[in-house]
Amino acid sequence: MPQSRPDTRRSPHAERTPDDRTPDRRTEPVPGPVPRAEGPSRKAPSVRNRSALTHRVRYALRHPGRVLPHLRRLVRDWKLRRATGGDHVAYYRAVMRSDTARNPNAAVGTPSEERWNALGEMQFTYLRSHGLLPSHRLLEIGCGNLRAGRHFIDHLDTGHYYGIDISPDILLAAQRTLTEHALQAKLPHLTLVGDLRLAHLPDHAFDVVHAHSVFSHSPLHVIDECFRHVARVMAPGGFFDFTYNRTDGPEHHVLHEDFYYRPSTLIRLAESRGLSARLMDDWDALPHKQSKIRITVPESS
């Protein structure tokens, strides 16, 4: 578990200054700000309701080759919902078991090795541009098979990475990633969880909490559970970044795997738990379909 740290340690928001340490992967200069797109940086608003029958019919006509795979997912969704009795964590754990058995990279949304590498690198570069230092401690919620985690582990000081996931199958794949990239000596912590209460973690331990493509697969009560508990584990001056599927139309879900939320819904929910929340427009300038919100704890809390 993290030990207490000196008060002189810089927060993720602190201005970065060069040092005279021997350059290596962990101490090379942090890249400049992530490039913004020309014009408004926010992704174009989407008002599509992907669960609507009219949308599904039009989609099937445009992509006939995807109809059969969707029907297979539909049958799996029905079977798993019956088997798990409405418990979303149990349901999604079963989804991950099924997907990981076929392809661990696809189970986290990036079937090709090239895309898996690129998206992991993009998450890492983004957090470095926002001040992630080797001395920081990082908690990754939904660490998967360490698509981004392997970069964080390599960058952070030994023992400073904590990854949690609800899927034992994907955590086994994460162990294989550690071995393949020779990261065992960095002593990362990988833990199976059954909820997002974070009860096994110490108070004020993490400078950065990171959840990529977790809330995009979560109903609102699961997100709220995380919001109710995340402030306790965040270090003073720290932040919590999460991505989500954005819609500016009706909120909806496809099967019970993909959930679409208006940003105002998630911001209000965070504020109801005493947190501050803001949209991260510079992330929206990047080539990724999900949007990002940053959570912080007000100083008065």
Side-chain angles (χ1 to χ4, degrees):
M1 289 293 184
Q3 304 298 316
S4 60
R5 300 179 298 284
D7 292 338
T8 56
R9 191 174 50 135
R10 290 177 290 178
S11 80
H13 299 293
E15 182 180 357
R16 297 180 295 276
T17 56
D19 59 39
D20 56 2
R21 290 177 291 181
T22 302
D24 62 17
R25 168 62 185 267
R26 299 187 302 121
T27 60
E28 63 187 2
V30 176
V34 174
R36 293 179 181 269
E38 294 297 325
S41 63
R42 187 171 64 81
K43 289 177 173 62
S46 171
V47 296
R48 289 180 297 170
N49 183 344
R50 294 159 185 81
S51 65
L53 179 61
T54 52
H55 173 82
R56 288 184 286 175
V57 169
R58 286 197 299 267
Y59 187 87
L61 292 173
R62 291 197 304 270
H63 307 283
R66 299 180 186 177
V67 172
L68 187 56
H70 179 75
L71 290 175
R72 292 194 189 105
R73 286 182 64 199
L74 187 64
V75 171
R76 182 180 72 175
D77 176 77
W78 178 79
K79 289 181 177 178
L80 294 182
R81 287 173 59 200
R82 283 175 57 89
T84 56
D87 180 338
H88 183 75
V89 171
Y91 165 85
Y92 207 76
R93 181 176 287 153
V95 169
M96 289 298 292
R97 180 182 303 116
S98 173
D99 289 347
T100 303
R102 289 195 296 271
N103 181 346
N105 288 356
V108 297
T110 42
S112 74
E113 189 77 12
E114 179 182 10
R115 182 60 182 155
W116 186 83
N117 285 320
L119 185 51
E121 181 72 31
M122 185 170 76
Q123 294 174 61
F124 169 65
T125 300
Y126 181 83
L127 281 184
R128 285 201 71 194
S129 76
H130 281 254
L132 180 67
L133 298 172
S135 60
H136 288 147
R137 284 187 168 87
L138 182 147
L139 169 64
E140 186 168 24
I141 297 173
C143 63
N145 64 340
L146 302 181
R147 176 176 56 192
R150 67 186 182 92
H151 299 286
F152 297 141
I153 292 165
D154 191 36
H155 174 69
L156 295 170
D157 289 341
T158 299
H160 282 209
Y161 174 88
Y162 288 69
I164 63 174
D165 208 288
I166 65 167
S167 168
D169 303 273
I170 204 67
L171 286 175
L172 290 174
Q175 291 180 2
R176 292 192 290 272
T177 299
L178 284 177
T179 303
E180 290 165 4
H181 294 274
L183 293 168
Q184 300 95 319
K186 298 304 292 285
L187 298 177
H189 303 258
L190 300 176
T191 305
L192 179 68
V193 296
D195 55 50
L196 292 183
R197 295 189 179 99
L198 312 175
H200 68 292
L201 297 170
D203 293 355
H204 312 306
F206 299 102
D207 305 283
V208 176
V209 181
H210 176 255
H212 184 93
S213 198
V214 174
F215 293 168
S216 53
H217 303 297
S218 301
L220 211 56
H221 74 271
V222 172
I223 300 173
D224 185 44
E225 179 179 74
C226 184
F227 285 174
R228 284 189 283 118
H229 297 282
V230 71
R232 181 186 63 79
V233 304
M234 291 169 62
F239 61 80
F240 169 30
D241 278 6
F242 66 86
T243 64
Y244 66 102
N245 289 325
R246 176 174 180 157
T247 181
D248 292 280
E251 295 182 336
H252 59 281
H253 59 83
V254 178
L255 306 179
H256 284 71
E257 297 181 29
D258 301 298
F259 292 78
Y260 293 80
Y261 295 109
R262 291 187 293 271
S264 59
T265 295
L266 298 178
I267 289 174
R268 284 198 303 267
L269 183 61
E271 291 173 344
S272 76
R273 298 303 181 185
L275 305 167
S276 297
R278 64 186 178 97
L279 303 175
M280 301 304 291
D281 287 342
D282 58 345
W283 173 265
D284 279 356
L286 299 175
H288 192 272
K289 292 181 179 179
Q290 294 183 16
S291 292
K292 186 185 288 282
I293 288 175
R294 175 163 295 173
I295 297 288
T296 53
V297 181
E299 291 185 5
S300 59
S301 297

